[in-house]
Amino acid sequence: MTSSDEMPTQPEAARLRSRATWDAVATGWYTQRKEIWESSRPVSAWMIRRLDPQPGDTVLELAAGVGDTGLRAAHRVGRSGGVIITDSAPEMLAAARRRAKEMGVENAQFRTLDAERMDLETNSVDGVLCRWGYMLMIDPAAAFAETRRVLRLGGRLAFSVWAARERNPALSLAGTVLAELGHIPPPDPEAPGPFFMADTGRIRELVVGAGFAEPAIEEVSFHRQFINQDAYWRFLIETSATTSPVLRSLPPEAQNTVRERVHEAARPFHSGEGYDFPGVCLNAVTH
Ligand SMILES: C[S@@+](CC[C@H](N)C(=O)[O-])C[C@H]1O[C@@H](n2cnc3c(N)ncnc32)[C@H](O)[C@@H]1O
């Protein structure tokens, strides 16, 4: 997966592109933080419960985005411990700092950090959280190996990835429509992306391959509601790293066609003026 002849693009260029794309949607993630958090709360609650951080622990959050999961673990470790909130996109980290202030969290450090090559000491943290991150990384195996290296022996890793695209229509419909209309190539199930780890076999292979114990994997379901069509469109255009750059680049007429087709494809989930989408994550814990 990592050798250059198997990668469609040069990995370093892909990393830079990924960072720029996430920087561009950081404001959207911050603006929509309340809705994102309210719908995804069960996913993070599971992760924190299974990580079970103790007072005095140092907990590392990878690919933290606006930090919603790691910042909630902060009060569990208390003043004698702390959380290290990290992301490779500086704008996301800036949003996480704002979030910590709003939440009154004082035992958090913030670092720009690429999870595939962490600038952290070996055996330096007691627990690691990563929600919706590993499957997006250019080299997920490298990220798991780095996680194993920085985590002390016996320390836990709790993470979450998306289940299959069909089970997460709020996230996948726009990509399907864009591919059908020829604006993007059809999704490549072998390339890192939102649904790359939607398979328990692949999760196990990556986790055990990095030297962790056999993971416990559970499905966590939730609902994502949008009060009207505009709210869903704003979500797609302001927060989705996969579709927003394409949507934003389309001329208005083509954008309208996509919007109509997405609304049509979302018909089974219409609810009132808006939508009520089901969603499923695969959550895993290991040590
Ligand atoms: C879908 S968002 C999830 C954000 C947050 N964890 C949450 O659950 O709300 C994915 C995040 O992964 C980050 N990311 C992508 N590749 C990364 C890498 N190699 N190292 C660190 N962070 C990365 C992005 O910048 C983005 O903030």
Side-chain angles (χ1 to χ4, degrees):
M1 194 189 341
T2 55
S3 69
S4 53
D5 53 347
E6 285 167 299
M7 293 289 292
T9 51
Q10 204 268 336
E12 203 47 44
R15 281 193 183 94
L16 291 173
R17 262 201 313 280
S18 163
R19 194 170 311 166
T21 306
W22 286 107
D23 271 340
V25 293
T27 302
W29 277 73
Y30 181 74
T31 311
Q32 301 192 26
R33 63 195 181 284
K34 189 165 169 285
E35 292 82 356
I36 295 173
W37 171 252
E38 287 305 331
S39 64
S40 61
R41 185 195 290 267
V43 178
S44 295
W46 186 102
M47 290 167 62
I48 295 171
R49 193 169 63 247
R50 299 299 294 266
L51 189 79
D52 194 21
Q54 300 297 310
D57 279 357
T58 299
V59 171
L60 169 68
E61 183 176 27
L62 299 170
V66 304
D68 267 326
T69 307
L71 292 172
R72 257 113 190 154
H75 76 274
R76 300 271 297 257
V77 300
R79 284 179 183 212
S80 56
V83 292
I84 311 173
I85 305 290
T86 70
D87 197 283
S88 55
E91 293 299 328
M92 280 291 190
L93 216 52
R97 276 201 183 89
R98 285 202 293 279
R99 202 73 199 98
K101 272 213 179 92
E102 283 168 11
M103 292 166 67
V105 173
E106 288 179 351
N107 55 347
Q109 296 174 37
F110 299 86
R111 290 202 205 172
T112 307
L113 186 102
D114 184 339
E116 296 168 49
R117 40 199 176 178
M118 299 184 205
D119 183 15
L120 288 173
E121 300 278 317
T122 299
N123 293 330
S124 59
V125 301
D126 302 298
V128 177
L129 292 165
C130 183
R131 189 179 79 159
W132 310 335
Y134 283 118
M135 70 287 192
L136 303 170
M137 294 176 192
I138 309 301
D139 185 353
F144 278 107
E146 275 292 84
T147 306
R148 179 59 280 169
R149 181 182 68 77
V150 302
L151 186 56
R152 72 164 168 77
L153 280 179
R156 289 189 198 147
L157 160 66
F159 66 94
S160 179
V161 295
W162 298 107
R165 51 188 309 118
E166 311 75 54
R167 304 181 74 191
N168 287 293
L171 299 178
S172 59
L173 285 181
T176 306
V177 167
L178 284 170
E180 281 168 4
L181 292 172
H183 295 305
I184 56 171
D188 173 0
E190 295 309 310
F195 307 108
F196 176 69
M197 289 178 67
D199 166 34
T200 52
R202 180 166 277 167
I203 294 177
R204 289 206 164 84
E205 194 183 314
L206 281 163
V207 166
V208 175
F212 284 104
E214 192 66 32
I217 304 173
E218 270 180 39
E219 287 192 358
V220 180
S221 303
F222 59 94
H223 276 261
R224 186 66 218 267
Q225 285 147 346
F226 296 91
I227 51 163
N228 53 33
Q229 282 187 42
D230 277 352
Y232 182 41
W233 191 250
R234 268 201 311 280
F235 169 73
L236 294 174
I237 217 147
E238 291 177 6
T239 71
S240 165
T242 335
T243 52
S244 96
V246 188
L247 292 174
R248 286 177 201 229
S249 71
L250 292 176
E253 209 172 300
Q255 240 191 55
N256 281 339
T257 306
V258 174
R259 191 176 163 142
E260 278 163 24
R261 290 277 294 265
V262 168
H263 186 57
E264 198 48 42
R267 187 167 289 282
F269 314 107
H270 286 189
S271 167
E273 299 287 296
Y275 304 98
D276 183 354
F277 290 108
V280 183
C281 287
L282 297 177
N283 276 17
V285 64
T286 185
H287 59 270

